[in-house]
Coordinates of all heavy atoms in Angstrom, one line a residue:
G1 N -25.7 4.8 -12.9 CA -24.8 6.0 -13.2 C -23.4 5.6 -13.0 O -22.6 6.5 -12.8
F2 N -23.0 4.4 -13.0 CA -21.7 3.9 -12.7 C -20.7 4.4 -13.8 O -21.0 4.3 -15.0 CB -21.6 2.4 -12.7 CG -20.2 1.8 -12.5 CD1 -19.5 1.9 -11.4 CD2 -19.6 1.3 -13.7 CE1 -18.2 1.4 -11.2 CE2 -18.3 0.7 -13.5 CZ -17.6 0.8 -12.2
A3 N -19.6 5.1 -13.4 CA -18.6 5.5 -14.3 C -17.3 5.5 -13.6 O -16.9 6.4 -12.8 CB -18.9 6.9 -14.8
P4 N -16.4 4.5 -13.9 CA -15.1 4.4 -13.2 C -14.3 5.6 -13.6 O -14.4 6.0 -14.8 CB -14.5 3.1 -13.6 CG -15.2 2.7 -14.8 CD -16.6 3.3 -14.7
H5 N -13.5 6.2 -12.8 CA -12.7 7.4 -13.1 C -11.3 7.5 -12.8 O -10.6 8.4 -12.9 CB -13.5 8.6 -12.5 CG -13.4 8.5 -11.0 ND1 -14.4 8.0 -10.2 CD2 -12.4 9.1 -10.1 CE1 -14.0 8.1 -8.9 NE2 -12.9 8.8 -8.8
T6 N -10.7 6.3 -12.2 CA -9.4 6.3 -11.8 C -8.5 5.9 -12.9 O -8.5 4.7 -13.3 CB -9.2 5.4 -10.6 OG1 -10.1 5.7 -9.6 CG2 -7.8 5.5 -10.0
P7 N -7.6 6.7 -13.4 CA -6.6 6.3 -14.4 C -5.6 5.2 -14.0 O -5.3 5.2 -12.7 CB -5.9 7.7 -14.8 CG -6.7 8.7 -14.3 CD -7.4 8.2 -13.0
L8 N -5.2 4.4 -14.8 CA -4.2 3.3 -14.5 C -3.0 3.9 -13.7 O -2.6 3.3 -12.7 CB -3.8 2.5 -15.7 CG -2.9 1.3 -15.4 CD1 -3.7 0.3 -14.6 CD2 -2.4 0.8 -16.8
E9 N -2.4 4.9 -14.2 CA -1.2 5.4 -13.6 C -1.5 5.9 -12.2 O -0.7 5.6 -11.3 CB -0.7 6.7 -14.4 CG -0.1 6.4 -15.8 CD 1.3 6.1 -15.7 OE1 1.9 6.1 -14.6 OE2 1.9 5.8 -16.8
E10 N -2.6 6.5 -11.9 CA -2.9 7.0 -10.6 C -3.2 5.7 -9.7 O -2.8 5.7 -8.5 CB -4.2 7.9 -10.6 CG -4.6 8.4 -9.3 CD -5.8 9.4 -9.3 OE1 -6.0 9.9 -10.5 OE2 -6.5 9.5 -8.4
G11 N -4.0 4.8 -10.2 CA -4.3 3.7 -9.4 C -3.1 2.9 -9.1 O -2.9 2.4 -7.9
V12 N -2.1 2.7 -10.0 CA -0.9 2.0 -9.7 C 0.0 2.7 -8.7 O 0.6 2.1 -7.9 CB -0.1 1.7 -11.1 CG1 1.3 1.1 -10.8 CG2 -0.9 0.6 -11.9
Q13 N 0.0 4.0 -8.8 CA 0.8 4.8 -7.9 C 0.2 4.5 -6.5 O 1.0 4.4 -5.5 CB 0.8 6.3 -8.2 CG 1.6 6.6 -9.4 CD 1.4 8.0 -9.9 OE1 0.7 8.8 -9.2 NE2 2.1 8.5 -11.0
R14 N -1.1 4.6 -6.3 CA -1.7 4.4 -5.0 C -1.3 3.0 -4.4 O -1.1 2.8 -3.2 CB -3.1 4.6 -5.0 CG -3.6 6.1 -5.2 CD -5.1 6.2 -5.3 NE -5.5 7.5 -5.8 CZ -6.8 7.8 -6.0 NH1 -7.8 6.9 -5.8 NH2 -7.1 9.0 -6.4
F15 N -1.5 2.1 -5.3 CA -1.2 0.6 -5.0 C 0.2 0.5 -4.6 O 0.5 -0.1 -3.5 CB -1.5 -0.3 -6.1 CG -0.9 -1.6 -6.0 CD1 -1.3 -2.6 -5.0 CD2 0.2 -1.9 -6.8 CE1 -0.6 -3.8 -4.8 CE2 0.9 -3.1 -6.6 CZ 0.5 -4.1 -5.6
A16 N 1.1 1.0 -5.3 CA 2.6 0.9 -5.1 C 3.0 1.6 -3.7 O 3.7 0.9 -3.0 CB 3.4 1.4 -6.2
A17 N 2.4 2.7 -3.5 CA 2.7 3.4 -2.2 C 2.2 2.5 -1.0 O 2.9 2.4 -0.1 CB 2.0 4.8 -2.2
W18 N 1.0 2.0 -1.1 CA 0.6 1.2 0.0 C 1.4 -0.1 0.1 O 1.8 -0.4 1.2 CB -0.9 0.6 -0.3 CG -1.2 -0.5 0.6 CD1 -1.6 -0.4 2.0 CD2 -1.1 -1.9 0.3 NE1 -1.7 -1.7 2.5 CE2 -1.5 -2.6 1.5 CE3 -0.8 -2.6 -0.8 CZ2 -1.5 -4.0 1.5 CZ3 -0.8 -4.0 -0.7 CH2 -1.2 -4.7 0.4
Y19 N 1.7 -0.8 -1.0 CA 2.5 -2.0 -0.9 C 3.9 -1.8 -0.2 O 4.3 -2.6 0.6 CB 2.7 -2.6 -2.3 CG 3.5 -3.9 -2.3 CD1 2.8 -5.1 -1.8 CD2 4.8 -4.0 -2.5 CE1 3.5 -6.3 -1.7 CE2 5.6 -5.2 -2.4 CZ 4.9 -6.3 -2.0 OH 5.5 -7.5 -1.9
Q20 N 4.6 -0.7 -0.6 CA 5.9 -0.4 -0.1 C 5.8 -0.2 1.5 O 6.6 -0.6 2.3 CB 6.6 0.7 -0.8 CG 7.0 0.3 -2.2 CD 7.5 1.5 -3.0 OE1 6.8 2.4 -3.3 NE2 8.8 1.3 -3.4
A21 N 4.7 0.6 1.9 CA 4.4 0.8 3.2 C 4.1 -0.4 4.0 O 4.6 -0.7 5.2 CB 3.4 1.9 3.4
W22 N 3.4 -1.3 3.4 CA 3.0 -2.6 4.0 C 4.1 -3.5 4.2 O 4.3 -4.1 5.2 CB 1.9 -3.3 3.1 CG 1.7 -4.7 3.5 CD1 1.9 -5.8 2.8 CD2 1.1 -5.2 4.7 NE1 1.5 -7.0 3.5 CE2 1.0 -6.6 4.7 CE3 0.5 -4.5 5.9 CZ2 0.4 -7.4 5.7 CZ3 0.0 -5.3 6.9 CH2 0.0 -6.7 6.8
Q23 N 5.1 -3.5 3.2 CA 6.3 -4.3 3.4 C 7.1 -3.8 4.6 O 7.7 -4.7 5.3 CB 7.1 -4.2 2.1 CG 6.5 -5.1 0.9 CD 6.3 -6.5 1.2 OE1 5.3 -7.0 1.6 NE2 7.5 -7.2 1.1
I24 N 7.2 -2.5 4.7 CA 8.0 -2.0 5.9 C 7.3 -2.4 7.1 O 7.9 -2.8 8.2 CB 8.1 -0.4 5.8 CG1 9.0 -0.1 4.6 CG2 8.6 0.1 7.0 CD1 9.0 1.4 4.2
R25 N 6.0 -2.2 7.2 CA 5.2 -2.5 8.4 C 5.3 -4.0 8.8 O 5.5 -4.3 10.0 CB 3.8 -2.2 8.1 CG 2.8 -2.5 9.3 CD 1.4 -2.1 8.9 NE 0.4 -2.6 9.8 CZ -0.9 -2.3 9.6 NH1 -1.3 -1.5 8.7 NH2 -1.8 -2.8 10.5
R26 N 5.2 -4.9 7.8 CA 5.2 -6.4 8.1 C 6.5 -6.9 8.5 O 6.7 -8.0 9.2 CB 4.6 -7.1 7.0 CG 5.4 -7.2 5.8 CD 4.6 -7.8 4.6 NE 4.4 -9.2 4.9 CZ 5.2 -10.2 4.5 NH1 6.3 -9.9 3.8 NH2 4.9 -11.4 4.7
T27 N 7.6 -6.2 8.1 CA 8.9 -6.6 8.5 C 9.6 -5.9 9.7 O 10.7 -6.2 10.1 CB 10.0 -6.4 7.3 OG1 10.0 -5.1 6.9 CG2 9.5 -7.4 6.1
R28 N 8.9 -4.9 10.2 CA 9.4 -4.1 11.3 C 9.3 -5.0 12.6 O 8.3 -5.7 12.8 CB 8.5 -2.9 11.6 CG 8.9 -2.0 12.7 CD 8.0 -0.8 12.9 NE 8.0 -0.1 11.7 CZ 6.9 0.5 11.2 NH1 5.7 0.3 11.6 NH2 7.0 1.3 10.1
P29 N 10.5 -5.1 13.3 CA 10.4 -6.0 14.5 C 9.5 -5.5 15.6 O 9.2 -4.3 15.6 CB 11.9 -5.8 15.0 CG 12.5 -4.6 14.4 CD 11.7 -4.4 13.1
E30 N 8.9 -6.4 16.3 CA 8.0 -6.1 17.4 C 8.8 -5.3 18.5 O 9.9 -5.7 18.8 CB 7.4 -7.3 18.0 CG 6.5 -8.1 17.0 CD 5.2 -7.3 16.8 OE1 4.8 -6.5 17.7 OE2 4.6 -7.4 15.7
P31 N 8.2 -4.3 19.1 CA 8.8 -3.6 20.2 C 9.1 -4.5 21.4 O 8.3 -5.5 21.6 CB 7.9 -2.5 20.5 CG 6.5 -2.9 20.0 CD 6.8 -3.8 18.9
P32 N 10.1 -4.3 22.2 CA 10.3 -5.1 23.4 C 9.1 -5.1 24.3 O 8.4 -4.1 24.4 CB 11.6 -4.5 24.0 CG 12.2 -3.7 22.9 CD 11.1 -3.3 22.0
S33 N 8.9 -6.2 25.0 CA 7.8 -6.3 25.9 C 7.9 -5.3 27.0 O 9.0 -5.1 27.6 CB 7.8 -7.7 26.6 OG 6.8 -7.9 27.5
G34 N 6.8 -4.7 27.2 CA 6.7 -3.6 28.3 C 7.1 -2.2 27.8 O 7.0 -1.2 28.6

């Protein structure tokens, strides 16, 4: 009964939101020790 249901616009929006958050996360400086 497989039936994909995610429209391209919706899928791309979810992907883009994650990617931008991931870019911020990976470039955020590490907190000082302690």
